[in-house]
Amino acid sequence: MNIGVVGVNHNLAPISVREGVSFTDLQKIEAINYLLDKEIEEVVILSTCNRSEIYIQSKNIKEKIKMIEQFYESFFECPDVSNYLFTKSGREAIEHIYNVTSGLDSIVLGEDQILGQVKDAHVFSMQLGSSKKIFNKLFREAITTAKNMKSTTKISQQPLSISYIGVKFLEKRLGELEGKNALVIGVGKMSKLTMKHLEEEKVNTIYVSNRSHGKIKEIQHEYKNIVPIEYKDRYKVLNDVDMVISATASPHMVIKYEEMPKLQKQVYMMDIALPRDIDPKINDIENAEVYDIDDLKKIHDENNEKRKELANIGYEMISESINEFLEWVDSTHIDPTIESLNDKCLEIREDTLEYIFRKLNLDTREKKIIDKMMTSALKRLIREPIINLKQTKDKGKREEYMKLVEELFEL
C-alpha cells in the first residue's frame, strides 16, 4: 500500500516544537508543489495547533517517507524536529488518517473541531490538484466514517473542545466564573467558542480585542456582554479582568512580557494559540499565571473514561470502513483493463458505423437506431468479463483472468 504519513503531534512533540513546524497556507502551497515535483503522486498537509502532518501517496513509499523526514528539517530549518517525527505507512497510515479525522487521536478524545480541519485540508489539496483518485476516496471515506461514528456513539455530545477545556481549566483556578471579567483576544472559531462558553458560565463582561477591530462589530450581535477594545488598548484592561484567553493566528506574541503593566490582582492567562500568543516569561510577573495548550492535557483525563468506551465502537466502524477502502484500492488494479475493453468497443463501434453509413443511404433517425443497437450489443459483449473481474476477490485468480481477457480481446 503506497500511502504514508510523516509529522509531529501532541503525542510526542512539545508545543515549542509543534509551533516551529506549523504551516501557513503559503507554506502549504510551496511545500505541496515541491513534493509533487519530487514524483510524489498525492499530498495532503494537515497543520493545526496540535499536529503538523504530511500525508502522501506514492510509489517507493519508504524512500519517499525518508525524503519527507529530511524535508521537515530543511523546510523549517529545525534540525531538532527529527527527534519528534513519527512515520507510518500502509494500513497503519490509513488507520491514522481515520483516527485523526474521528477525533480518536486528539487531546480531547472524540472532539469535533479536527473533522472540519481535515475536511479543509483535503479541499485545499484538491484545489491545488495534489489530492487525486486515491486520496479523494480515502479522505471522503474517513470523513463519512467519522460523521457516522459520532452520530452512532454520541462521543462528541459533551462540548469538550480545546476552548471548552480552557474555560473549565480557568474555572478551577478561579473557583467560579460567574460575575468575573474576561479579555478574549482574537475573533476566530476558537475565540467564538470561548466567548460562547464564557457566557454559559455567566461571566460578567467579556472584553474583546482583535487586530482588525471591524471584525468584532461583525460578531457583536451574537453575544450579550461583549465590550470591544481597540487592539492597542489590550494592556489597559488587564487590571479590570480576572482572566485572559488568547487564540489568534498571529505569527508573533500578542501579549509581550516587556509591555505588561503592574498587575493589582491575580490574572490567569490561557494561551490556546499556536504559535503561542502570550509570552511564557509573564509567569515571572507578580499576580500573573500563564497556561498553554499542553497544560490542558492535565485535566482532559477526567472526562476521558466514558469516551474511551465509546471509542472502541468507533474503532470497529473504522476497521470495517478501512477494509472496504482497501478492497476498493485493490479493485482499481483492474481499471486499465476495463478502460481498454471500453476503448476497444468504441473503436469497433466507430469503424463499423463508419462502414455502414458509407455503404447505405440512411436518414438521421435510422442512423441513431443503428448506433444504439450497435452500442448495446457491444456492451453486452463485455459486460460479463467486467462483472467477473470485479467479483473475483482472489488476487492471483484475478490477475490470470485479466491476462485471459486482454489476450482474448487483443487489448
Side-chain angles (χ1 to χ4, degrees), residues 3-7 53-56 65 86-89 92-93 96-97:
I3 293 174
V5 57
V6 181
E53 299 175 352
I54 300 177
Y55 304 96
I56 60 171
I65 283 174
F86 76 90
T87 66
K88 298 176 188 288
S89 61
E92 191 179 18
H96 181 76
I97 293 170

Side-chain angles (χ1 to χ4, degrees), residues 50-96:
N50 287 319
R51 64 184 72 246
S52 170
E53 299 175 352
I54 300 177
Y55 304 96
I56 60 171
Q57 192 274 122
S58 177
K59 296 175 182 176
N60 304 317
I61 192 67
K62 291 183 179 180
E63 174 188 319
K64 293 299 192 291
I65 283 174
K66 288 181 180 178
M67 191 192 79
I68 299 292
E69 291 179 284
Q70 295 168 356
F71 170 81
Y72 260 107
E73 293 182 25
S74 60
F75 189 78
F76 291 103
E77 297 181 355
C78 184
D80 291 341
V81 72
S82 59
N83 298 325
Y84 301 97
L85 284 172
F86 76 90
T87 66
K88 298 176 188 288
S89 61
R91 186 181 180 110
E92 191 179 18
I94 296 169
E95 288 174 348
H96 181 76

Side-chain angles (χ1 to χ4, degrees), residues 355-389:
Y355 179 81
I356 292 173
F357 295 161
R358 183 161 39 86
K359 292 294 182 180
L360 300 176
N361 186 22
L362 303 171
D363 60 30
T364 302
R365 179 177 174 276
E366 290 169 333
K367 287 180 178 180
K368 284 183 177 180
I369 292 172
I370 292 175
D371 188 352
K372 286 184 178 180
M373 291 178 66
M374 177 69 66
T375 302
S376 177
L378 289 169
K379 282 185 176 179
R380 284 173 58 195
L381 178 66
I382 64 172
R383 185 174 294 123
E384 286 301 320
I386 289 175
I387 290 173
N388 287 336
L389 274 172

Side-chain angles (χ1 to χ4, degrees), residues 327-343:
E327 284 185 14
W328 174 83
V329 170
D330 197 38
S331 71
T332 60
H333 297 150
I334 67 173
D335 287 353
T337 301
I338 293 174
E339 188 176 345
S340 296
L341 277 172
N342 285 319
D343 289 345

Side-chain angles (χ1 to χ4, degrees), residues 8-10 30 56 178 180 240 271 314 323 390:
V8 301
N9 58 35
H10 61 89
E30 182 184 349
I56 60 171
E178 185 174 356
K180 307 293 185 182
D240 298 320
D271 187 348
N323 290 338
K390 289 181 176 179

Side-chain angles (χ1 to χ4, degrees), residues 180-187 195 198-199 203-210 213 215-217 219-231 233-234 237 240-241:
K180 307 293 185 182
N181 296 325
L183 167 63
V184 175
I185 304 176
V187 290
M195 288 183 267
L198 289 173
E199 282 198 341
V203 167
N204 182 39
T205 301
I206 304 173
Y207 297 100
V208 182
S209 182
N210 189 64
H213 194 68
K215 289 185 178 180
I216 301 176
K217 294 180 179 178
I219 66 164
Q220 194 170 359
H221 67 281
E222 300 176 27
Y223 307 91
K224 298 175 184 177
N225 50 356
I226 279 183
V227 176
I229 296 295
E230 291 284 350
Y231 187 72
D233 295 331
R234 61 196 183 281
V237 299
D240 298 320
V241 301

